Amino acid sequence: MSRRREDIVIIGGGPAGLAAALAAREAGIRKVLILERDKELGGILNQCIHNGFGLHTFKEELTGPEYAEKYIQMVLEQQIPYMTNAMVTGIEVLENNDKCVTAMNKEDRLVEITAKAVILAMGCRERPRGALNIPGTRPAGIYSAGTAQYYVNMEGRMPGKEVVILGSGDIGLIMARRMVLEGAKVHCVAELRPYSGGLKRNIVQCLEDFDIPLYLSTTVSEIHGKERVEAVTLTRVDEHGVPISGSEWRVPCDTLLLSCGLIPENELTIGLGAQMDAKTGGPVVSEHLECSVPGVFACGNVLHVHELVDHVSAEAEKAGRFASEYVLASESKTCKSEVADASERREEGWE
Amino acid sequence: MSTEVKLTCITCPVGCALTVRLDDAGETTVTGNKCPRGAVYGTKEVTNPTRVVTSTVRVAGGTDQVVSVKTATDIPKGKITDCMRALEQVEVQLPVHIGDIIVENIADTGVDIVATRSLR
Ligand SMILES: Cc1cc2nc3c(=O)[nH]c(=O)nc-3n(C[C@H](O)[C@H](O)[C@H](O)COP(=O)(O)OP(=O)(O)OC[C@H]3O[C@@H](n4cnc5c(N)ncnc54)[C@H](O)[C@@H]3O)c2cc1C
Ligand code: SF4
């Protein structure tokens, strides 16, 4: 096991973590470390190869990987240290209020990092399919839309050829277009609610452009097939979401993609004992983006699911600055002469 | 006589509801747009609809790696399928740098395919 000491440890190397690290460095914090469990920085943006990112931040339309690379480049230029393949397994508050972050790297070696402040930037993940409550067996060929996106965009393999998508969230809509472009037949998108959960622009450019029907107030009531999905039964539902009997129809397919929304990834936050917000799925934070545990800050999708990555970056910058203030303030308690310095910085970087 | 087309602007997530009026002289007027980009989109969409295509190409050498790419600018909608079929044949050698031209003049559109990420 190895040990290190840092001022600020950032958990997650997605757009939130990267922007927070840059802001902390800019606020004058020297010892910043980013921990990322994946093999590269960039977070979920690496698999979002479509465009539409960065109109606010960079005033140009970028793809996900392009947006990520701009931030990664800045982090490299600032020589901010990071560890990839480093999965954080726990955060503890020490007696002197410092935090101890435990991470495991690829070789199963433990790293223990003591830090004055921690920034949570773990992002979100998709709702597990178990929560979907579709009766029947679980044959192969059922994927979450995000998993399918990873296969197609990161590994270059197609999960199937004949596709039905349940749920009209943006990832599902974007995957409908992606699968069609790669030669699959997307039969339809079914949405339980009477309206789509996705952006209108994605309905237009991902479904209407390719004549893919969107059935509202419709759900999958049965999945057919033993080894592999062979077909699904779609059913209309009434205004209470109850299936209307007699409205069923069968659609042959080999793949069912589930696009049923995202939830913040907060096992670590809960383990830390931070107070959670039942509505957002993220921790309760002050106006300084600080959790109920002093010195622990949160930003990006771990806090609540953001529609735009630009908003994630802006929020993360603030978290980086607030965490820096916290560190500088705790230092100034021991060294009076630094107080003036810190408050000067405070005024500079304020929005 | 003029014709009116109702559209959703897809340029940004706001998704403004546009009305595009096309008069006899072939002139268009766009209303409902919250910003100038919407006017450009509305006019194009009724005269020559175009899209930016994003996809991936394989890395040479039989690995399971792919590099994400896009058309450097928008191409006519009718060319999207040709563009995709042409990309299926493409393999790139590493290293790739973001912005590198991967294919020149894809499917005779006059538009290049560029890498949207770096990979070593
Ligand atoms: C499948 C999917 C597709 C999406 N598609 C779009 C889209 O098309 N457009 C859009 O605007 N938004 C999309 N989003 C939302 C997108 O996540 C946000 O816009 C943005 O990427 C959030 O940034 P983030 O840094 O908060 O989270 P992320 O980008 O998710 O980054 C979090 C990082 O933290 C790391 N991490 C998590 N837990 C740990 C741990 N314990 N230890 C170490 N590292 C950890 C993860 O590996 C990840 O790299 C999508 C989300 C998902 C899940
Ligand atoms: S008109 Fe402007 S604001 Fe409205 S959707 Fe188009 S680009 Fe966005």
Side-chain angles (χ1 to χ4, degrees):
Chain A
M1 180 162 73
S2 61
R3 287 174 207 277
R4 317 174 43 139
R5 254 212 87 82
E6 303 289 340
D7 287 331
I8 300 181
V9 166
I10 296 166
I11 306 173
L18 297 172
L22 285 163
R25 179 53 66 80
E26 196 173 322
I29 305 296
R30 290 236 9 265
K31 301 202 64 150
V32 179
L33 175 68
I34 305 171
L35 298 172
E36 167 56 54
R37 72 175 166 202
D38 202 356
K39 63 179 188 294
E40 57 186 355
L41 296 174
I44 209 82
L45 289 179
N46 290 325
Q47 71 182 66
C48 299
I49 64 161
H50 56 278
N51 61 349
F53 298 86
L55 275 166
H56 292 262
T57 314
F58 297 111
K59 303 283 173 262
E60 56 177 321
E61 203 175 5
L62 301 170
T63 64
E66 288 174 314
Y67 189 96
E69 199 156 322
K70 281 193 187 266
Y71 274 92
I72 294 170
Q73 209 53 47
M74 289 188 268
V75 163
L76 296 179
E77 271 161 25
Q78 293 300 317
Q79 300 182 348
I80 299 173
Y82 62 89
M83 278 185 204
T84 48
N85 295 312
M87 165 98 179
V88 174
T89 52
I91 313 166
E92 237 180 285
V93 183
L94 303 176
E95 249 165 46
N96 65 353
N97 250 335
D98 280 357
K99 318 290 172 290
C100 178
V101 175
T102 312
M104 198 142 62
N105 73 8
K106 216 178 180 179
E107 295 80 34
D108 276 348
R109 300 267 301 273
L110 280 180
V111 193
E112 234 178 55
I113 305 143
T114 320
K116 293 205 179 73
V118 169
I119 300 178
L120 306 172
M122 289 93 76
C124 58
R125 61 179 148 78
E126 292 181 285
R127 265 176 223 287
R129 75 178 201 214
L132 283 167
N133 248 332
I134 302 171
T137 52
R138 284 279 183 266
I142 308 173
Y143 305 91
S144 75
T147 303
Q149 190 177 46
Y150 185 85
Y151 287 158
V152 180
N153 293 347
M154 303 299 286
E155 297 184 340
R157 57 192 172 104
M158 286 285 280
K161 288 253 141 237
E162 303 277 334
V163 186
V164 168
I165 299 176
L166 176 62
S168 61
D170 287 309
I171 308 168
L173 300 178
I174 280 158
M175 278 315 290
R177 171 178 64 182
R178 185 74 184 115
M179 300 284 285
V180 170
L181 287 177
E182 287 294 340
K185 165 92 185 146
V186 176
H187 292 272
C188 63
V189 174
E191 169 61 57
L192 180 69
R193 290 172 299 183
Y195 53 88
S196 163
L199 293 170
K200 187 80 211 275
R201 75 193 293 242
N202 287 333
I203 307 261
V204 172
Q205 63 183 352
C206 299
L207 300 188
E208 291 173 8
D209 269 9
F210 300 95
D211 298 319
I212 301 168
L214 168 64
Y215 300 123
L216 299 173
S217 302
T218 302
T219 191
V220 169
S221 54
E222 213 179 322
I223 301 169
H224 308 275
K226 266 212 170 73
E227 309 272 290
R228 173 91 200 187
V229 175
E230 285 163 14
V232 296
T233 297
L234 295 175
T235 311
R236 299 279 184 190
V237 299
D238 64 18
E239 60 269 35
H240 308 294
V242 179
I244 302 170
S245 82
S247 70
E248 302 88 359
W249 77 103
R250 191 180 160 113
V251 182
C253 60
D254 60 20
T255 304
L256 175 65
L257 297 191
L258 306 171
S259 175
C260 300
L262 302 167
I263 37 174
E265 171 122 22
N266 271 305
E267 281 74 11
L268 288 173
T269 324
I270 295 165
L272 181 63
Q275 200 185 334
M276 300 298 291
D277 184 330
K279 228 171 95 199
T280 60
V284 174
V285 290
S286 70
E287 58 194 4
H288 285 194
L289 299 168
E290 192 173 12
C291 304
S292 62
V293 180
V296 178
F297 299 79
C299 56
N301 280 356
V302 78
L303 195 49
H304 64 92
V305 177
H306 292 61
E307 199 136 279
L308 278 180
V309 69
D310 306 70
H311 297 164
V312 169
S313 301
E315 181 181 87
E317 259 170 52
K318 285 192 196 159
R321 269 183 262 141
F322 289 128
S324 304
E325 281 209 336
Y326 176 91
V327 170
L328 294 171
S330 72
E331 274 172 2
S332 68
K333 271 181 207 154
T334 40
C335 176
K336 277 262 158 63
S337 69
E338 272 179 21
V339 175
D341 194 27
S343 60
E344 235 169 65
R345 282 198 195 103
R346 205 169 300 181
E347 272 160 43
E348 256 174 46
W350 225 238
E351 262 187 8
Chain B
M1 265 276 297
S2 65
T3 48
E4 248 184 38
V5 188
K6 294 209 178 294
L7 295 172
T8 303
C9 180
I10 61 166
T11 312
C12 90
V14 175
C16 294
L18 308 179
T19 305
V20 186
R21 188 175 290 121
L22 189 68
D23 68 20
D24 290 337
E27 293 287 311
T28 54
T29 25
V30 181
T31 49
N33 52 313
K34 288 206 178 83
C35 84
R37 283 192 306 238
V40 175
Y41 171 79
T43 302
K44 261 195 180 170
E45 195 64 8
V46 296
T47 51
N48 173 32
T50 59
R51 296 287 184 264
V52 168
V53 177
T54 60
S55 189
T56 52
V57 294
R58 269 174 206 292
V59 172
T63 66
D64 65 355
Q65 280 179 303
V66 293
V67 172
S68 55
V69 297
K70 68 174 181 185
T71 53
T73 60
D74 42 353
I75 64 167
K77 257 173 104 174
K79 285 280 189 180
I80 294 175
T81 310
D82 290 350
C83 170
M84 286 300 297
R85 296 297 83 85
L87 282 179
E88 279 168 15
Q89 313 304 320
V90 176
E91 286 197 338
V92 286
Q93 298 284 345
L94 296 184
V96 170
H97 192 259
I98 191 165
D100 282 357
I101 295 175
I102 304 295
V103 185
E104 279 179 19
N105 184 21
I106 189 84
D108 276 330
T109 52
V111 176
D112 297 337
I113 293 286
V114 296
T116 56
R117 68 163 298 168
S118 304
L119 197 62
R120 261 173 300 179

